[in-house]
């Protein structure tokens, strides 16, 4: 028992260094991981797909895909995997850490880039480094799909208009023969620089054990 | 935005005047039945009646409880316009009649109190950014509750201390009365705040903090006022005082308990409970309170449905009516304050009292704001900057509510009522005039961060949507409940049930913000495209006859039913688009007969009509 604990702590230390979470947070997330995986070592897509809470979410496919996307593991690999372990789970979660009062400006900048990269990967499903119109259309269609009233045609048109906007902002003087390949990461950064990514794209990771405190929320 | 504010002032003035007229006839002991002639607007009128009954009840009787008025507001949304027009015609009649009763103190003070009340709701419905308000709710509540209590207590105690020290000469005021005075002068006034900040355009966070505080602290003010007034009436016997103290304690428990819980478990349900607790406490105990807060919240709820259910012309009508009336009512309220100074019989001057009051108000406001902000900044992600704090302190303007409450004091119990009335008037003048005038130069000089005026792009809007959904999903997956989860659940509930009940399908469609922006963008694109084509002497699409038809057809079919609804959301500067809206392209294309193939429009605009030329140019946007 003692040996297991120290091994776990050692592991946690490793993870804490890599992802920036605290021990408490890692413990909580590990418990959650166990719940999701059914006490297995890895989570598969099916595990996440079957979560009822996600059923209403229009972009669940992209989000679930993001967990299995190797690019989000920051190890310069591409492609996707079928099962992820706890470490990969944590890595993806670490994109959503909020900045605290102690983060320096460079760290904030790095965090921002990371978050942007995450978003970009979510849009760019074929890994070619640009978000083409077709890919963007897909995302927008999914996004609008649960809104009910907005049909597919309109969603397509919205995607077109958005692409256009990006094009006109980033490449304002395109000639008539050129066409806009797609949104590169730099363009993506440029167009979203108005959004305060650090303060918007985060969730609170709790330090206390909440598994006993929730009532009525489904656990799976 | 200020326009709608002032309109509500007028609204409540109308109601109060008419109510006071009725009171004249039936005597002050009006029963709980509403006065005759107020039934045009069921919820609105009854709410006001109950609150005004609360006023008269407050004067001589123990505090009675109010049946919950907030829920009646849901009826308001549909007959809104009808009501407005009726009130307009009323107004004219009543203003004429009211001239006979101006010198009577009761209607004036009640009138002024009601300014503060109805103020919040309608205006808020039209101008308040709900999301921003809720995400800063914690800060706002802290400022409103703790800040106001601090202001009241510190002012009362300091004045009493000075009185003891002999700085004010010979005054017959006890500690309790000082506290009473402190409580009535402590609150920041929403009218004054709006009037000043409207010109200044500071950044949204700062504005929402000051404004939200000024709205919510009316509740606190009246609680304190009633408490201390009861104290003064009783002269201090323990029995009822104990009840009141218990009330205060429970008040604080609600306030602090919620925030303590929040620290440990950042579960935003705690905040919801806090707000609801606060609301229900106030609703149960303090009559006059429930009006403003219920109005406020119902205004927020109704906002969406009002705007989208009414067709475009009605909404425009409403806005214009409000603008017109707003000017009138702003004039009225402040002229009224000026006029009331002329009444020589009430003038009492005590240099020490007045000067000390002014001084302490100023100082304690600054201290209060800075201390509270320091505490808050430890828990906020986005800090409130030093400069913003300065402006917040400086923007603590007192207004009509203070004067109204002062005039409501019972002369028999408070000998120096006239002095208090005068002082409150002077404080109001000082803060509104001096601080109001110097606010803008101060803001400029300090280079306060201003409100961003740029339009948010379509991509950003889409991205915001992505964020919302993504954060909810991550919260679900990671098992952490946050306010994204709550908001999502609420949105979902709203989509499913309330929208279906309360809004037409086309209205629901147009309500989607992304769709709105997209639509505006489309129109803008179409217009700029046409202009560009005009400039260059050719329009690509006129070569393709069928394209023109497609354009019209597409717009007509897809968007016609929502087009009128959509422009309901656009602000005035989009009014320029309306002449173009119906018939943008064809009329111009008829003039541009030359097909100059070389001067093709810039790529960005040529691709603007994938809608126009779905077949031939779609490849170019690939």
């Amino acid at each position: 028992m003692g040996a297991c604990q120290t091994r776990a702590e050692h592991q946690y230390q490793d993870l804490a260094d890599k992802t920036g979470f605290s021990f408490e947070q890692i413990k909580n997330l590990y418990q959650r991981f166990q719940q999701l995986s059914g006490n297995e070592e890895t989570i598969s897509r099916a595990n996440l797909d079957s979560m009822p809470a996600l059923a209403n979410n229009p972009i669940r496919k992209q989000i679930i895909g993001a967990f299995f996307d190797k690019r989000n593991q920051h190890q310069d690999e591409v492609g996707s995997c079928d099962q992820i372990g706890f470490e990969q789970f944590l890595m993806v979660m670490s994109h959503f850490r909020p900045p605290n009062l102690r983060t320096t400006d460079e760290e904030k900048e790095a965090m921002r880039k990371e978050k942007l990269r995450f978003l970009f990967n979510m849009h760019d499903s074929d890994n070619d480094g640009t978000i083409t119109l077709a890919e963007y259309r897909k995302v927008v269609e999914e996004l609008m799909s649960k809104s009910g009233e907005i049909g597919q045609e309109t969603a397509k048109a919205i995607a077109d208009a958005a692409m256009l906007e990006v094009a006109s902002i980033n490449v304002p003087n395109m000639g008539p023969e050129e066409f806009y390949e797609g949104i590169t990461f730099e363009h993506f950064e440029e167009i979203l620089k108005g959004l305060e990514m650090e303060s918007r794209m985060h969730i609170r990771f709790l330090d206390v054990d909440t598994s006993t405190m929730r009532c009525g929320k489904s656990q799976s | 935005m200020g326009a709608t504010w002032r309109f509500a002032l007028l609204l409540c003035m109308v109601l109060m005047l008419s109510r006071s007229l009725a009171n004249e006839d039936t005597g002050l002991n009006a029963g709980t039945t509403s006065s005759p002639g107020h039934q045009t607007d069921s919820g609105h009128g009854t709410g006001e009646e109950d609150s005004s009954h609360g006023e008269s009840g407050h004067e001589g009787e123990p505090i009675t409880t109010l049946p919950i008025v907030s829920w009646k507001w849901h009826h308001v949304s549909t007959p809104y316009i009808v009501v407005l027009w009726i009130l307009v015609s009323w107004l004219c009649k009543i203003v004429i009649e009211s001239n006979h009763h101006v010198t009577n103190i009761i209607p004036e003070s009640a009138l002024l109190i009601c300014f503060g009340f109805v103020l919040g709701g309608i205006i808020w419905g039209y101008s308040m950014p709900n999301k921003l308000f809720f995400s800063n709710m914690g800060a706002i509540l802290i400022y409103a509750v703790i800040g106001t209590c601090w202001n009241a207590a510190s002012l009362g105690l300091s004045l009493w201390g000075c009185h003891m020290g002999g700085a004010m000469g010979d005054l017959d005021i006890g500690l309790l009365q000082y506290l009473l005075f402190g409580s009535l002068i402590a609150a920041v006034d929403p009218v004054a705040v709006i009037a000043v900040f409207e010109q200044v355009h500071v950044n949204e966070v700062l504005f929402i903090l000051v404004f939200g505080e000024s709205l919510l602290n009316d509740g606190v003010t009246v609680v304190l006022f009633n408490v201390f007034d009861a104290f003064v009436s009783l002269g201090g016997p323990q029995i009822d005082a104990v009840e009141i103290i218990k009330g205060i304690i429970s008040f604080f428990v609600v306030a602090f308990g919620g925030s303590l819980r929040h620290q440990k478990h950042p579960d935003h349900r705690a905040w919801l409970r806090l707000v609801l607790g606060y609301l229900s406490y106030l609703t149960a105990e303090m009559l006059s309170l429930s009006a403003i807060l219920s109005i406020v919240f119902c205004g927020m709820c109704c906002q969406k449905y009002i705007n989208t259910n009414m067709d475009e012309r009605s909404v425009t009508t409403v806005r214009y009516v409000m603008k017109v009336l707003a000017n009138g009512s702003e004039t009225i309220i402040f002229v009224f304050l000026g006029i009331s100074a002329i009444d020589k019989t009430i003038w009492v001057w005590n240099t020490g009292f007045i000067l000390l009051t002014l001084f302490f108000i100023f100082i304690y406001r600054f201290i209060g704001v800075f201390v509270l902000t320091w505490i808050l900044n430890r828990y906020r992600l986005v800090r409130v900057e030093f400069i913003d704090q300065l402006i917040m302190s400086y923007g603590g303007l007192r207004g009509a509510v203070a004067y109204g409450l002062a005039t409501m004091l019972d002369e028999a119990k408070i000998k120096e009522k006239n002095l208090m009335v005068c002082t409150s008037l002077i404080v109001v003048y000082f803060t509104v005039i001096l601080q109001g005038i110097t606010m803008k130069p101060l803001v400029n000089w300090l280079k306060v961060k201003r409100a961003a005026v740029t339009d948010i792009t379509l991509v950003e809007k889409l991205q915001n949507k992505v964020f919302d959904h993504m954060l909810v999903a991550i919260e679900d997956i990671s098992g952490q409940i946050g306010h994204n989860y709550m908001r999502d659940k609420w949105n979902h509930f709203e989509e499913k049930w309330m929208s279906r009940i309360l809004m037409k399908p086309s209205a629901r469609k147009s309500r989607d913000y992304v769709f709105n922006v997209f639509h505006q963008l489309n129109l803008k694109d179409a217009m700029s495209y046409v202009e560009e084509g005009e400039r260059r002497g050719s329009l690509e699409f006129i070569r393709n006859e069928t394209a023109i038809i497609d354009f019209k057809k597409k717009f007509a079919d897809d968007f016609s039913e929502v087009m009128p609804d959509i422009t309901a959301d656009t602000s005035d500067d989009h009014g320029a688009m309306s002449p173009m809206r119906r018939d943008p392209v064809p009329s111009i294309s008829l003039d541009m007969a030359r097909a100059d193939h070389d001067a093709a429009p810039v790529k960005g605009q040529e691709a603007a009509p994938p809608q126009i030329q779905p077949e031939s140019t779609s490849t170019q946007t690939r």
Side-chain angles (χ1 to χ4, degrees):
Chain A
M1 203 50 176
C4 281
Q5 269 192 331
T6 44
R7 182 168 58 95
E9 271 169 26
H10 180 68
Q11 249 183 337
Y12 284 1
Q13 182 60 51
D14 221 12
L15 290 171
D17 290 334
K18 267 202 213 152
T19 57
F21 283 121
S22 72
F23 277 6
E24 279 301 321
Q25 291 169 335
I26 295 184
K27 265 204 232 149
N28 275 336
L29 286 171
Y30 188 65
Q31 277 176 344
R32 181 65 181 162
F33 182 82
Q34 298 281 66
Q35 271 172 0
L36 287 174
S37 69
N39 286 325
E40 303 276 324
E41 287 284 319
T42 58
I43 296 186
S44 67
R45 279 180 206 258
N47 289 121
L48 290 179
D49 257 340
S50 60
M51 278 179 67
L54 279 186
N56 279 326
N57 200 310
I59 51 173
R60 55 198 275 265
K61 254 199 347 201
Q62 273 85 4
I63 294 176
I64 294 178
F67 275 90
F68 296 91
D69 191 338
K70 284 202 190 141
R71 287 173 295 173
N72 288 330
Q73 300 298 326
H74 297 237
Q75 280 161 4
D76 295 328
E77 289 177 7
V78 288
S80 61
C81 28
D82 292 323
Q83 307 264 345
I84 52 170
F86 182 53
E87 187 174 326
Q88 284 94 351
F89 182 73
L90 264 191
M91 275 306 286
V92 175
M93 283 295 174
S94 72
H95 288 99
F96 293 91
R97 257 189 328 121
N100 54 32
L101 297 170
R102 284 186 300 269
T103 31
T104 62
D105 279 336
E106 300 106 42
E107 282 177 2
K108 278 207 184 124
E109 195 46 43
M111 266 182 125
R112 191 188 149 79
K113 256 205 150 70
E114 246 181 48
K115 295 186 192 215
L116 269 174
R117 202 13 110 168
F118 184 85
L119 276 179
F120 187 80
N121 290 342
M122 229 170 67
H123 287 78
D124 180 21
S125 39
D126 64 358
N127 284 336
D128 64 355
T130 53
I131 305 177
T132 59
L133 183 63
E135 287 171 339
Y136 200 65
R137 266 188 192 156
K138 221 157 68 87
V139 177
V140 173
E141 266 167 32
E142 305 256 318
L143 198 58
M144 299 278 148
S145 61
K146 287 277 161 50
S147 278
E149 304 302 323
I150 298 194
Q152 211 196 17
E153 278 301 311
T154 323
K156 210 152 73 114
I158 292 181
D160 289 348
M163 256 330 239
L164 207 55
E165 221 184 26
V166 177
S168 60
I169 290 179
N170 282 310
V171 195
N173 297 312
M174 265 198 300
E177 273 76 47
E178 302 173 36
F179 61 86
Y180 190 59
E181 288 273 358
I183 310 181
T184 62
F185 186 63
E186 286 74 31
H187 289 176
F188 195 67
E189 242 183 325
E190 178 66 27
I191 202 166
L192 290 183
K193 69 173 188 280
L195 286 181
E196 278 175 13
M197 199 82 46
E198 314 80 50
S199 44
R200 280 224 52 183
M201 183 169 148
H202 73 92
I203 68 175
R204 287 187 201 268
F205 287 98
L206 301 182
D207 283 323
V208 288
D209 186 0
T210 53
S211 58
T212 51
M213 290 175 188
R214 264 167 289 128
C215 40
K217 179 164 145 60
S218 67
Q219 299 294 319
S220 63
Chain B
M1 172 171 58
T4 50
W5 269 100
R6 297 172 231 148
F7 164 67
L9 284 185
L10 198 58
L11 212 65
C12 45
M13 182 187 76
V14 166
L15 287 165
M16 283 325 295
L17 280 174
S18 41
R19 172 235 158 213
S20 61
L21 287 179
N23 263 349
E24 298 290 296
D25 304 335
T26 62
L28 273 181
N29 298 328
T32 43
T33 58
S34 10
S35 308
H38 284 270
Q39 295 312 316
T40 53
D41 179 2
S42 58
H44 194 73
T46 339
E48 287 319 305
E49 280 317 305
D50 284 342
S51 70
S52 49
H53 169 65
E55 301 306 318
S56 56
H58 164 80
E59 306 225 6
E61 307 157 9
I63 297 164
T64 54
T65 52
L66 174 73
I68 299 196
V69 288
S70 38
W71 307 116
K72 292 182 188 157
W73 271 87
H74 287 287
H75 301 300
V76 175
S77 36
T78 2
Y80 209 60
I81 297 175
V82 176
V83 166
L84 288 176
W85 282 115
I86 291 179
L87 285 171
V88 168
S89 39
W90 258 28
L91 167 68
C92 306
K93 180 163 191 258
I94 284 172
V95 163
I96 297 169
E97 285 197 35
S98 76
N99 282 326
H100 305 298
H101 304 276
V102 159
T103 51
N104 189 322
I105 297 203
I106 311 282
E108 294 168 7
S109 57
L111 174 155
L112 288 167
I113 300 263
C114 257
F115 281 163
F117 289 165
V118 182
L119 207 61
I122 304 179
I123 280 67
W124 205 346
Y126 275 97
S127 65
M128 176 70 79
N130 290 356
K131 205 161 163 180
L132 205 57
F133 180 74
F134 272 115
S135 51
N136 286 303
M137 180 62 114
I140 291 178
L141 272 176
I142 294 227
Y143 283 124
V145 176
I146 302 184
T148 311
C149 292
W150 155 257
N151 279 338
S154 60
L155 180 70
L157 289 174
S158 314
L159 282 178
W160 182 65
C162 291
H163 173 93
M164 287 290 138
M168 291 188 233
D170 198 15
L171 287 177
D172 182 14
I173 309 184
L175 169 63
L176 288 177
Q177 297 181 9
Y178 273 117
L179 286 175
L180 181 62
F181 180 67
S183 68
L184 69 88
I185 207 100
V188 177
D189 189 74
V191 185
V193 165
I194 272 277
V196 168
F197 275 81
E198 186 199 16
Q199 297 302 317
V200 174
H201 295 300
V202 294
N203 63 72
E204 293 96 4
V205 175
L206 174 59
F207 177 70
I208 209 80
L209 286 177
V210 181
F211 186 52
E213 179 205 346
S214 66
L215 279 177
L216 291 187
N217 72 15
D218 273 319
V220 182
T221 304
V222 184
V223 173
L224 289 176
F225 184 78
N226 286 336
V227 162
F228 286 124
D229 198 41
F231 257 125
V232 170
S233 319
L234 302 170
Q238 306 307 325
I239 311 161
D240 288 58
V242 170
E243 298 300 314
I244 293 167
I245 289 181
K246 283 203 305 206
I248 299 181
I249 292 181
S250 65
F251 171 109
F252 280 116
V253 162
V254 167
F256 283 123
S259 50
L260 276 179
R261 269 211 66 209
H262 178 78
Q263 287 170 25
K264 276 245 140 89
H265 314 298
D267 176 4
H268 289 252
R269 283 185 295 199
W271 281 118
L272 209 59
R273 249 173 258 143
L274 165 65
V275 172
L276 286 177
Y278 184 60
L279 268 184
S280 52
Y281 169 83
L282 295 170
T283 312
E285 295 284 333
M286 298 299 148
L287 311 83
S288 27
L289 246 30
S290 59
I292 190 179
L293 285 168
S294 63
I295 286 169
V296 152
F297 280 91
C298 290
M300 287 198 307
C301 299
C302 292
Q303 168 191 10
K304 288 192 216 173
Y305 306 124
I306 290 175
N307 258 349
T308 52
N309 260 352
M310 301 193 294
D311 66 30
E312 169 214 353
R313 275 179 53 233
S314 315
V315 173
T316 321
T317 308
V318 167
R319 279 176 200 257
Y320 278 120
V321 163
M322 284 193 174
K323 274 204 165 78
V324 164
L325 294 179
N327 286 324
S329 53
E330 182 190 31
T331 318
I332 290 176
I333 186 178
F334 285 112
V335 164
F336 186 83
L337 280 181
I339 287 177
S340 43
I342 307 300
D343 187 358
K344 282 226 169 59
T345 58
I346 64 168
W347 270 106
V348 175
W349 184 271
N350 181 317
T351 319
F353 190 81
I354 293 174
L355 286 181
L356 283 171
T357 306
L358 281 174
F359 177 69
F360 283 133
I361 281 186
F362 206 63
I363 298 285
Y364 287 128
R365 171 84 184 154
F366 271 84
I367 296 179
V369 168
F370 275 86
V371 169
L372 285 177
T373 314
W374 179 76
I375 297 178
L376 275 174
N377 271 343
R378 315 244 315 259
Y379 299 106
R380 277 172 66 91
L381 210 60
V382 179
R383 294 173 53 89
V384 180
E385 299 295 324
F386 174 72
I387 303 265
D388 288 346
Q389 292 171 43
L390 267 184
I391 298 293
M392 224 189 307
S393 321
Y394 199 68
L397 308 175
R398 271 64 173 181
V401 177
Y403 175 69
L405 284 173
T407 51
M408 276 175 62
L409 294 171
D410 189 347
E411 246 158 4
K413 289 178 247 159
I414 301 167
K415 303 288 188 312
E416 302 286 350
K417 171 181 169 180
N418 284 335
L419 173 63
M420 292 191 181
V421 168
C422 291
T423 313
S424 63
L425 261 183
I426 292 182
V427 167
V428 171
Y429 292 155
F430 185 83
T431 56
V432 170
I433 296 176
L434 196 73
Q435 286 175 241
I437 290 179
T438 53
M439 179 68 85
K440 193 158 188 190
L442 188 70
V443 164
N444 285 335
W445 180 57
L446 289 176
K447 301 196 193 19
V448 175
K449 205 167 101 165
R450 307 298 272 265
V453 278
T454 53
D455 269 329
I456 196 168
T457 62
L458 185 57
V459 178
E460 279 176 328
K461 287 240 174 204
L462 279 173
Q463 210 54 50
N464 279 335
K465 248 191 145 75
V466 169
F467 272 152
D468 287 341
H469 291 300
M470 184 167 67
L471 292 176
V472 171
I474 298 286
E475 275 180 0
D476 282 333
I477 294 180
S478 68
Q480 326 269 333
I481 303 180
H483 61 260
N484 290 303
Y485 176 76
M486 293 307 304
R487 198 175 55 220
D488 188 64
K489 286 291 165 262
W490 167 253
N491 281 341
H492 191 64
F493 167 73
E494 200 191 14
E495 282 283 326
K496 249 178 122 183
W497 301 110
M498 299 183 49
S499 300
R500 227 153 262 175
I501 299 172
L502 291 172
M503 300 204 309
K504 311 182 294 212
S506 55
R508 295 216 303 269
K509 180 171 183 176
S510 70
R511 213 183 50 144
D512 189 275
Y513 292 128
V514 178
F515 185 72
N516 278 349
V517 174
F518 160 64
H519 182 76
Q520 288 168 22
L521 217 61
N522 245 359
L523 291 173
K524 259 193 240 173
D525 267 342
M527 278 181 64
S528 62
Y529 180 66
V530 164
E531 280 166 23
E532 179 72 21
E534 254 186 308
R535 203 168 58 79
R536 290 160 175 268
S538 94
L539 290 173
E540 183 79 5
F541 65 86
I542 64 166
R543 276 184 274 141
N544 186 347
E545 275 294 314
T546 57
I548 300 177
I549 300 170
D550 277 353
F551 187 79
K552 251 182 104 172
K553 189 163 84 111
K554 209 150 169 78
F555 263 48
D557 284 352
D558 286 4
F559 302 138
S560 67
E561 57 162 11
V562 295
M563 258 164 43
D565 295 331
I566 288 198
T567 53
D569 262 356
T570 61
S571 56
D572 288 338
D573 37 58
H574 282 282
M577 280 216 280
S578 27
M580 293 288 284
R581 183 164 44 86
R582 302 268 173 222
D583 204 8
V585 168
S587 57
I588 297 195
S589 70
L590 287 176
D591 295 335
M592 309 311 299
R594 288 184 295 143
D596 188 347
H597 297 263
D598 295 347
V602 170
K603 178 62 186 72
Q605 281 152 337
E606 182 180 14
Q611 287 84 23
I612 296 181
Q613 292 187 6
E615 284 73 49
S616 45
T617 56
S618 61
T619 53
Q620 291 178 312
T621 56
R622 210 178 26 229

